[in-house]
């Protein structure tokens, strides 16, 4: 049994579900339906967030009824890929506001576990500091 506890600790929240992306590439509704089942399974401890592009936040709220306080939708927010640092910092403000709004939309059934965004090639330490201030 000790081996199982170790494995469980290692795998705890290790996997984001990216059902909308290859190889599955499911539309939003069936991907969320799948995830609603997965969060109710005995292996749910392995799941972290449902990878959801920020641009899909509003559409996803239509399907929030599939989740509840015991089995919430934890979102791994995916921001857009931005080509340069100035646009990145500007876009990050909008993305951060969208994340806060989604988290407040139904706090018992939905939350954002983390945000992922590609960094542009021209990012520097000053830009990263500014980005950190935006998302804090």
């Amino acid at each position: 049994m000790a081996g199982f506890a170790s494995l469980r600790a290692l795998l705890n929240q290790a996997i984001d579900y990216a059902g909308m992306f290859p190889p599955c590439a499911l539309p939003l509704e069936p991907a969320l339906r799948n995830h609603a089942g997965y969060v109710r399974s005995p292996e749910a401890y392995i799941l972290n967030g449902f990878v959801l592009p920020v641009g899909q936040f509003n559409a996803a709220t239509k399907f929030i009824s599939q989740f509840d306080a015991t089995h919430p939708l934890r979102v791994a927010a995916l921001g857009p890929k931005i080509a340069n640092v100035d646009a990145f910092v500007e876009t990050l403000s909008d993305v951060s506001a969208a994340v806060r709004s989604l988290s407040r939309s139904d706090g018992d059934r939905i939350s954002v576990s983390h945000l992922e965004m590609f960094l542009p090639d021209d990012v520097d330490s000053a830009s990263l500091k500014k980005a950190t201030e935006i998302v804090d």
Side-chain angles (χ1 to χ4, degrees):
M1 247 1 192
F4 180 74
S6 300
L7 182 60
R8 188 175 176 106
L10 175 69
L11 295 177
N12 189 50
Q13 296 182 350
I15 299 172
D16 287 339
Y17 175 62
M20 294 175 54
F21 299 88
C24 292
L26 294 171
L28 177 62
E29 184 176 8
L32 280 170
R33 194 175 330 109
N34 286 351
H35 192 68
Y38 299 153
V39 299
R40 288 169 172 79
S41 75
E43 294 81 20
Y45 71 93
I46 296 172
L47 286 174
N48 194 4
F50 177 88
V51 180
L52 182 64
V54 173
Q56 295 282 324
F57 279 8
N58 287 338
T61 60
K62 296 174 191 167
F63 307 109
I64 195 64
S65 63
Q66 299 178 57
F67 300 89
D68 57 45
T70 306
H71 306 98
L73 172 60
R74 294 185 52 223
V75 172
L78 182 61
K81 188 171 182 176
I82 305 299
N84 67 63
V85 73
D86 292 332
F88 174 81
V89 171
E90 188 175 310
T91 301
L92 188 57
S93 291
D94 295 336
V95 166
S96 185
V99 166
R100 285 190 297 276
S101 177
L102 182 67
S103 294
R104 287 190 301 261
S105 67
D106 193 329
D108 289 342
R109 294 190 284 182
I110 191 167
S111 65
V112 178
S113 63
H114 59 281
L115 168 65
E116 299 176 19
M117 273 182 84
F118 284 102
L119 291 174
D121 292 336
D122 61 342
V123 72
D124 58 15
S125 60
S127 301
L128 286 176
K129 183 177 181 191
K130 191 170 185 177
T132 301
E133 291 168 359
I134 291 170
V135 294
D136 275 346

